[in-house]
């Protein structure tokens, strides 16, 4: 702490002036001096055991200035003031040492210290305060990874740092471990010798001390071998104690971490400033003393991490500074010790579980269904990641929350000799092999009295592997495997009995199918349970007919009400030329919307009406999509040739989004239209779908004009928008290429919308090029003409930002693909439709018949033109068929509604698929 001062100069000048007639001489006298004054203010903070000094300057006064200090603490004094050669003065002292070695008694604030300067006649005064604080220690450390030396974290930079200890290990450490049998019971102890790698904990001092500081340290851990797994009836030592849940993340001193390995003396010598000490049992070096010499502000405590060959979770330990043996340093804030926590990450290879397509969910059947089909016993993959030497093993198990019971409902199978499989739960990974396979197979003893399909969540059995050498760690993945019981065909409609038009999967896997009876044009909802039995009896709907082209659409929602209670709702909407009882037709086709609730108290249980409402314009109004939000508010998206109340019609056919609220009245709920928003281009726009958003609901469709004044881009563009209130501007997103871009369906989720269409083109994402010709991170939609019609899938944010595309064409680009259905499934998008050729190579369609196709695509889609996000595609061999509906059963099964046959003799059935496209049941019973 030093400030240089420059005292003011005082002088006399003699000036000679020569004139033509003589000369005049004169002396310029000095200006009267100012009063003496002190230049600068000394630092307000001093530290115990740290030299404090300040170099004052002064100005003013006559002649040499003298100085004095009053009301100063005993440790602070001025240097000898008899040095007349300079006009500055140094104030110096060491709190706690000078002035009587008062130690901590010098802590605190001293106010109104006065430095006085005088020239003998005048005086200058500088008052100031000084607070003496403790000189605090701090601890920091780098990431610690087992088997890796900490060689780059710190480098001794200058004279204020200790020399780095030797870090070029490895060291060596010998210790004793417990061995346990299959049940975790203690068997014996065994001696192990393992390599160690050095790591550093940095100890820093706030200010350089004038005296050495000796500080004691020790390693600590909350590991307690006598604390056992909760609920277990075992006696320590036991695996469920030493490696139980309470101890899994706690380092074992002497086995995971040590101060100095007992075999490390040759490779990791101890630096002079460190002394290691044995623990209370005299076994391991887990404590010691570190010395910081005067002037040192950074030093290093070297520890050693033991590479024990056991797969472990990250383990926590602490290093504590426990006692200041010598010197005037502190742990800060009056603490009696300083504790630093750190974590050891494992270096053993980790194992992850997934399907062969890299997914984490799947389903198997309870019995064989299709000859030579893998649907009943698919293979799953265990992958090892990380460097390793030698053979590692993996033990498989299941979570306690699994509803299926291993050994009773299913078994895990591992490869046997040749191509055989055998019951087992361990896989071996010789060096150089990073993948192994297993199966989950339903047993003949399988039973299920639950309402839902049973499932097994397969995991790495960490509770067994804990503390056992040669086992890989767990990457934390869970492979969810459902067990499907619907293996026969399920016919849900046929002409002329019942024509399905929409489908949803609800609670406990119930399949809800909306449609109408051709002879009467009456709307119906029919329900089957998860194994294909009719459920809930007839669902009562109003007896108003279904107008041609205005077929019913359906939505299901459920909400947890607490205390294991759920509420459940169905919404159905269709167009009618009739009128509900007590209502009148507005002209043309009106909307009829019905809300139903599940009544578990009814005998039998049933979905019963909550309310029904008719709404419409003077034109034709057609629902295309209906949805229920988390509060059971009903939204409908569709088309109208009229004008909704409070709206302006563009002419032709417009799109609309309608919200229906309800309120209590007379002991029941009465519905009312809260608002309807309408948008159009003046031409006949078409709506293909809708979706719920965080603010309201959406409509998506096609236009050959400009919706609400938007710019037309091509022959047929697509558009989408969100409606959230009765007033305000609609943010119309009109997008497309210069060609025809007809849509067929859409799905919404996570503030994104996926648009499905069909065109004679390949769609792709390409970088936006800026004005300088440089590619940017933004994407734009590209299109190339193809020889045949293909499907396409696009992804946009709800605000209209394009993020990805995928084209869905046959390999040879010769057949016509038509995709009409879309559904989100786990982290994928599943689309369905039909083809008249071979959508997959060797699709088995030599007669060019109409056959169903189903495709799974990563929900991110492709973000560049040269890549594909497609996961799988299937083309079931079923003549004259197509997929007309898709639904999702708890991300276990894709539920597909198939239509087969020709008009007048059509039949509709439900076919289930796994998340990777394996067919689970037959088309026909």
């Amino acid at each position: 702490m030093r400030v240089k001062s420059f005292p003011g100069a005082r002088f006399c000048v003699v000036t000679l002036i020569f004139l033509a007639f003589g000369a005049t001489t004169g002396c310029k006298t000095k200006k009267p001096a100012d009063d003496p004054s002190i230049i600068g203010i000394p630092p307000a903070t001093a530290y115990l055991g740290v030299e404090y000094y300040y170099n004052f300057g002064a100005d003013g006064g006559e002649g040499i200035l003298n100085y004095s200090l009053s009301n100063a603490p005993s440790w602070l004094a001025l240097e000898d003031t008899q040095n007349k050669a300079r006009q500055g003065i140094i104030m110096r002292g060491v709190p706690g040492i000078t002035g009587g070695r008062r130690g901590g008694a010098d802590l605190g604030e001293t106010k109104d210290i006065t430095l006085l300067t005088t020239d003998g006649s005048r005086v200058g005064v500088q008052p100031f305060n000084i607070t003496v604080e403790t000189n605090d220690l701090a601890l920091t450390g780098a990431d610690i990874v087992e088997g890796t030396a900490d060689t780059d974290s710190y480098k001794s930079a200058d004279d204020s740092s200790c020399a780095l200890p030797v870090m070029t290990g490895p060291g060596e450490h010998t210790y004793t471990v417990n061995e346990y049998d299959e049940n975790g019971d203690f068997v014996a102890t065994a001696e192990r010798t393992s390599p160690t790698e050095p790591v550093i904990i940095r100890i820093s001092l706030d200010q350089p001390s004038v005296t050495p500081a000796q500080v004691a340290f020790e390693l600590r851990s909350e590991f307690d071998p006598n604390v056992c797994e909760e609920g277990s009836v075992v006696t320590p030592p036991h695996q469920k104690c030493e490696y139980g849940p309470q101890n899994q993340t706690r380092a074992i001193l002497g086995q995971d971490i040590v101060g100095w390995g007992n075999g490390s003396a040759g490779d990791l010598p101890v630096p002079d400033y460190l002394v290691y000490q044995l623990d209370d049992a005299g076994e391991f070096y887990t404590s010691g003393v570190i010395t910081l010499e005067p002037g040192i502000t950074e030093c290093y405590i070297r520890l050693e991490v033991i590479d024990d060959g056991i797969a472990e979770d990250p383990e926590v330990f602490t290093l504590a500074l426990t006692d200041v043996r010598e010197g005037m340093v502190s742990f800060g804030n009056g603490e009696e010790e300083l504790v630093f926590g750190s974590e050891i990450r494992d270096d053993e290879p980790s194992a992850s579980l997934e399907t062969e397509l890299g997914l984490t969910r799947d389903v198997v059947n309870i019995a064989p269904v299709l000859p030579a089909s893998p649907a009943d016993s698919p293979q799953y993959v265990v992958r090892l990641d990380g460097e390793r030497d030698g053979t590692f093993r993996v033990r498989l198990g299941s979570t306690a929350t699994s509803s299926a019971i291993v050994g009773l409902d299913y078994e895990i199978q591992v490869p046997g000799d040749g191509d055989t499989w055998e019951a087992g739960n361990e896989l071996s990974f010789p060096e150089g092999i990073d993948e192994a396979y297993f199966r989950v197979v339903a047993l003949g003893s399988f039973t299920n009295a639950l309402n839902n399909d049973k499932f097994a969540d397969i995991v790495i059995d960490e509770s067994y592997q804990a503390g056992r050498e040669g086992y890989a760690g767990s990457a934390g993945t869970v492979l969810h495997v459902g067990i499907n019981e619907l293996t026969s065909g399920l016919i849900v409609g046929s002409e002329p009995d019942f024509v399905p038009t929409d489908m949803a999967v609800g609670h406990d896997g119930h399949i809800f199918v909306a449609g109408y009876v051709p002879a009467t044009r009456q709307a119906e909802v029919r329900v089957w349970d998860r194994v294909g039995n009719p459920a809930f009896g007839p669902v009562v709907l109003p007896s108003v007919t279904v107008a041609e082209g205005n077929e019913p659409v359906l939505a299901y929602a459920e909400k947890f009400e607490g205390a294991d209670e759920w509420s459940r709702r169905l919404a159905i909407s269709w167009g009618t030329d009739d009128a509900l009882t007590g209502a009148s037709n507005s002209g043309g086709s009106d909307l009829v919307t019905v809300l139903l609730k599940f009544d578990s108290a009814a005998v039998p249980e049933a979905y019963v009406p909550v309310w029904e409402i008719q709404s419409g314009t003077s034109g034709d109004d057609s629902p295309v999509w209906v949805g229920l939000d988390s509060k059971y508010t009903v939204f409908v998206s569709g088309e109208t040739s009229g004008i909704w109340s409070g709206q302006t019609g563009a002419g032709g056919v417009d799109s609309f989004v309608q919200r229906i609220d309800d309120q209590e009245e007379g002991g029941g709920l009465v519905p009312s239209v809260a608002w309807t928003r309408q948008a159009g281009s003046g031409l006949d726009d078409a709506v293909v779908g809708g979706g719920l958003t965080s603010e309201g609901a959406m409509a998506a469709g096609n236009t050959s004009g400009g919706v609400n004044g938007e710019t037309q881009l091509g022959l047929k563009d697509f558009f989408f928008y969100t409606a959230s209130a009765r007033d305000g501007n609609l943010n119309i997103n009109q997008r497309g290429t210069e060609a025809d871009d007809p849509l067929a369906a859409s799905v919404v989720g996570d503030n994104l919308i996926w648009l499905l269409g069909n065109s004679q083109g390949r769609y792709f994402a390409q970088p936006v090029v800026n004005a300088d010709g440089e590619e940017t991170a933004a994407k734009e939609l590209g299109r190339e003409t193809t020889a045949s019609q293909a499907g396409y899938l696009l992804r946009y944010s709800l605000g209209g930002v394009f993020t990805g595309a995928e084209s869905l064409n046959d390999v040879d680009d010769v057949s016509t693909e038509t995709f009409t259905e879309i559904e989100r499934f786990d982290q994928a998008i599943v689309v369905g439709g039909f083809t008249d050729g071979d959508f997959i190579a060797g699709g088995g369609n030599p007669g060019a018949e109409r056959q169903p196709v189903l495709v799974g695509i990563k929900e991110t889609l492709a973000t560049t033109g040269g890549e594909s996000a497609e996961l799988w595609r299937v083309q079931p061999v079923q003549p004259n068929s197509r997929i007309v509906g898709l639904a999702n059963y708890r991300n276990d099964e894709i539920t597909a509604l198939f239509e087969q046959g020709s008009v007048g003799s059509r039949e509709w059935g439900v076919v289930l698929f796994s998340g990777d496209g394996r067919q689970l049941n037959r088309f026909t019973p």
Side-chain angles (χ1 to χ4, degrees):
M1 302 175 186
R2 176 174 293 134
V3 173
K4 293 182 178 180
S5 62
F6 300 93
R10 291 173 287 277
F11 54 88
C12 173
V13 178
V14 178
T15 304
L16 299 180
I17 302 175
F18 297 90
L19 300 177
F21 300 101
T24 301
T25 57
C27 177
K28 181 178 179 182
T29 62
K30 66 181 181 179
K31 179 182 177 181
D34 294 330
D35 290 341
S37 62
I38 303 296
I39 299 174
I41 301 174
T45 304
Y47 296 90
L48 202 65
V50 177
E51 185 180 24
Y52 177 101
Y53 62 92
Y54 194 75
N55 186 0
F56 279 95
D59 196 9
E62 293 281 356
I64 299 298
L65 298 176
N66 293 312
Y67 303 90
S68 63
L69 191 64
S70 63
N71 198 35
S74 61
W75 57 266
L76 185 63
L78 300 178
E79 280 189 341
D80 183 5
T81 60
Q82 302 306 312
N83 183 357
K84 308 301 182 182
R86 73 175 180 185
Q87 297 298 310
I89 187 170
I90 292 180
M91 183 168 56
R92 187 189 303 271
V94 181
I97 297 178
T98 57
R101 289 191 170 270
R102 288 162 38 89
D106 284 341
L107 291 170
E109 184 179 20
T110 303
K111 295 183 177 181
D112 300 323
I113 307 169
T114 301
L115 177 64
L116 184 146
T117 181
T118 180
D119 61 0
S121 61
R122 285 170 293 183
V123 174
V125 176
Q126 175 65 67
F128 62 97
N129 303 332
I130 294 180
T131 299
V132 178
E133 298 181 355
T134 55
N135 192 14
D136 293 342
L137 294 162
L139 294 172
T140 54
D143 290 340
I144 297 177
V145 179
E146 189 176 297
T148 303
D150 179 17
T151 57
D152 300 321
S153 295
Y154 308 108
K155 296 186 181 300
S156 186
D158 51 41
D159 292 341
S160 65
S161 302
C162 293
L164 276 172
V166 173
M167 300 294 290
T168 54
E172 187 177 272
H173 185 66
T174 300
Y175 53 101
T176 299
V177 299
N178 293 329
E179 294 184 333
Y180 301 104
D181 64 13
E182 285 283 316
N183 299 317
D185 293 322
F186 174 75
V187 175
T189 59
E191 186 177 274
R192 297 284 188 270
T193 297
S194 298
T196 66
E197 291 293 350
V199 297
I200 278 178
I201 303 296
R202 179 177 66 174
I203 179 170
S204 56
L205 189 59
D206 195 3
Q207 302 291 327
S209 178
V210 301
T211 62
Q214 281 193 353
V215 183
F217 64 86
E218 69 178 21
L219 286 170
R220 293 176 181 172
S221 173
E222 294 184 356
F223 171 80
D224 185 347
N226 296 312
V227 175
C228 302
E229 182 178 335
E230 186 176 352
S232 63
V233 184
V234 297
T235 301
H238 197 280
Q239 186 189 25
K240 291 185 177 181
C241 306
E242 184 174 354
Y243 295 99
Q246 292 88 339
N247 283 322
Q248 277 183 343
T249 58
R250 299 170 178 174
I252 303 176
L253 303 185
Q255 292 187 27
D256 296 310
I257 184 82
V258 71
W260 189 35
N262 50 29
S264 297
D267 296 304
L268 296 172
V270 180
D272 293 340
Y273 53 80
L274 273 179
V275 175
Y276 293 105
Q277 297 170 343
L278 293 171
D279 57 20
D280 292 341
E283 292 184 289
F284 309 122
Y285 291 102
T286 58
S287 60
V289 176
I290 184 170
T291 300
L292 281 71
E293 296 294 342
I296 294 296
T297 57
E298 179 173 303
C299 210
Y300 312 101
I301 300 175
R302 187 185 63 198
L303 307 175
E304 295 180 40
V305 176
I306 301 162
D307 195 357
D308 55 13
I310 297 174
E312 298 157 316
D313 289 338
E315 295 173 313
V316 174
F317 71 92
T318 57
L319 178 73
L321 302 183
T322 60
D323 182 34
V324 177
R325 302 282 177 85
E326 180 184 341
M328 292 185 182
V329 296
S330 172
F331 299 137
N333 297 321
E335 298 292 334
E336 295 184 356
E337 61 182 24
L338 179 63
V339 178
F340 175 77
S342 191
E343 182 182 81
I344 305 170
R345 290 186 286 118
D346 196 46
D347 69 333
E348 307 303 324
S350 62
S352 60
L353 311 177
E354 56 190 37
T355 70
E356 290 189 281
L357 292 179
L359 307 176
T360 57
R361 300 182 74 91
D362 198 34
V363 62
V364 297
N365 278 335
I366 59 169
V369 179
L370 304 174
S373 169
D376 308 306
S377 302
Q379 295 182 28
Y380 304 118
V381 188
V382 181
R383 302 187 194 278
L384 284 196
D385 181 48
E387 297 181 2
R388 60 190 174 95
D389 294 320
T391 297
F392 273 77
R393 291 169 289 169
V394 166
R395 170 71 68 100
L396 300 174
S398 60
T399 65
T401 56
S402 300
S403 56
I405 302 172
V406 64
L408 180 63
D409 296 321
Y410 74 97
E411 70 179 12
I412 297 173
Q413 295 183 350
V414 298
D417 295 333
D419 295 329
T420 64
W421 293 83
E422 60 188 21
N425 56 6
E426 281 209 357
L427 295 168
S428 180
F429 295 81
E431 190 168 350
I433 302 298
D434 295 326
E435 292 183 0
Y437 294 83
F438 69 97
R439 305 195 306 185
V440 174
V441 179
L443 298 174
S445 55
F446 174 90
T447 59
N448 187 6
L450 304 176
N451 292 326
N452 265 300
D453 281 357
K454 284 188 172 183
F455 68 90
D457 282 341
I458 308 300
V459 293
I460 305 299
D461 190 350
E462 293 182 86
S463 62
Y464 173 83
Q465 294 188 171
R468 301 180 190 271
E469 297 174 329
Y471 283 89
S474 171
T477 54
V478 178
L479 179 66
H480 177 92
V481 181
I483 301 178
N484 170 54
E485 297 175 61
L486 178 57
T487 57
S488 61
L490 175 60
I491 301 300
V492 297
S494 61
E495 289 179 317
D497 173 53
F498 176 66
V499 175
T501 58
D502 202 3
M503 177 184 64
V505 174
H507 72 283
D508 302 333
H510 285 96
I511 301 167
F512 299 86
V513 180
Y516 65 93
V517 177
T520 62
R521 301 293 300 181
Q522 293 297 304
E524 286 191 6
V525 175
R526 299 185 178 184
V527 189
W528 287 262
D529 66 18
R530 62 183 177 80
V531 295
N533 299 315
F536 302 141
V539 177
V540 178
L541 297 175
S543 58
V544 293
T545 59
V546 176
E548 191 72 36
N550 289 330
E551 286 76 18
V553 290
L554 184 68
Y556 170 86
E558 61 185 22
K559 182 167 55 175
F560 181 65
E561 303 290 356
D564 296 326
E565 292 294 328
W566 290 78
S567 61
R568 299 176 171 95
R569 298 290 187 271
L570 276 179
I572 181 171
S573 187
W574 69 92
T576 185
D577 296 331
D578 298 336
L580 292 173
T581 301
S584 59
N585 190 285
S586 302
S589 297
D590 285 357
L591 302 182
V592 171
T593 305
V594 181
L595 180 68
L596 304 108
K597 71 176 182 179
F598 179 62
D599 186 355
S600 59
V603 181
E605 296 177 329
Y607 277 83
V608 298
V610 176
W611 51 252
E612 58 191 45
I613 187 173
Q614 182 167 346
S615 59
T617 70
S618 60
D620 288 328
D621 310 305
S622 304
V624 176
W625 169 88
V626 65
L628 284 160
D629 71 6
S630 60
K631 297 180 179 179
Y632 294 144
T633 302
V634 177
F635 293 89
V636 181
S637 298
E639 302 168 357
T640 182
S641 60
I643 302 174
W644 288 97
S645 175
Q647 299 295 293
T648 301
V653 176
D654 292 350
S655 62
F656 73 85
V657 177
Q658 183 174 97
R659 170 175 169 157
I660 304 173
D661 289 344
D662 53 35
Q663 60 184 8
E664 291 190 14
E665 186 176 311
L669 292 176
V670 176
S672 62
V673 174
W675 47 257
T676 307
R677 302 304 305 273
Q678 183 171 343
S681 66
L683 303 175
D684 288 347
D685 300 336
V687 175
V688 301
L692 296 171
T693 71
S694 60
E695 299 176 342
M698 297 192 69
N702 277 119
T703 182
S704 296
V707 179
N708 282 18
E710 291 293 303
T711 302
Q712 184 179 357
L713 303 172
L715 299 176
K716 182 176 288 186
D717 296 346
F718 49 86
F719 67 88
F720 54 93
Y721 62 89
T722 297
S724 57
R726 67 172 62 250
D727 301 312
N729 293 328
L730 292 174
N731 181 23
I732 307 295
N733 299 290
Q734 184 165 335
R735 302 289 187 267
T737 68
E738 296 180 351
D740 268 336
D741 306 311
L743 290 184
S746 66
V747 68
V748 177
D750 296 333
N751 292 316
L752 298 166
I753 184 169
W754 288 263
L755 302 170
L756 177 65
N758 303 283
S759 173
Q760 194 169 328
R762 183 180 79 89
Y763 291 73
F764 52 89
Q766 59 188 6
V768 173
V769 178
N770 63 22
D772 297 326
E774 301 169 332
E775 293 185 354
T776 67
K779 305 295 180 182
E780 63 182 2
L781 178 62
R783 182 185 184 277
E784 297 174 347
T785 301
T786 55
S788 63
Q789 177 178 294
Y792 67 86
L793 183 63
L794 311 176
R795 188 176 84 156
Y796 286 83
S797 72
L798 296 188
V801 177
F802 172 68
T803 59
E806 190 74 25
S807 281
L808 308 166
N809 200 0
D810 62 283
V811 176
D812 298 322
D813 191 17
V814 294
S815 60
T816 298
E817 279 75 50
T818 304
F819 289 90
T820 59
E821 309 304 319
I822 186 170
E823 181 66 49
R824 294 187 74 193
F825 185 88
D826 198 13
Q827 297 181 25
I829 301 295
V830 177
V831 299
F834 62 93
T835 182
D836 65 1
D838 287 337
F839 180 59
I840 61 175
N845 191 16
E849 294 182 294
R850 184 178 68 172
Q851 287 189 355
V853 291
L854 196 66
V855 187
I857 307 111
K858 295 177 184 177
E859 64 180 5
T860 54
L861 306 191
T863 56
T864 64
E867 66 178 13
S868 173
E870 185 176 308
L871 293 168
W872 52 265
R873 60 171 60 188
V874 294
Q875 181 178 342
V877 181
Q878 185 70 11
N880 199 15
S881 298
R882 61 177 180 145
I883 295 174
V884 294
L886 290 173
N888 181 345
Y889 173 44
R890 73 181 190 187
N891 281 332
D892 281 3
E893 298 165 5
I894 302 163
T895 305
L897 181 63
F898 273 66
E899 177 193 284
Q900 46 195 338
S902 301
V903 175
S905 60
R906 291 175 296 175
E907 194 172 50
W908 288 264
V910 168
V911 180
L912 307 179
F913 292 85
S914 70
D916 57 4
R918 288 177 290 105
Q919 186 176 334
L920 300 173
N921 67 322
R922 297 186 297 268
F923 285 97
T924 56

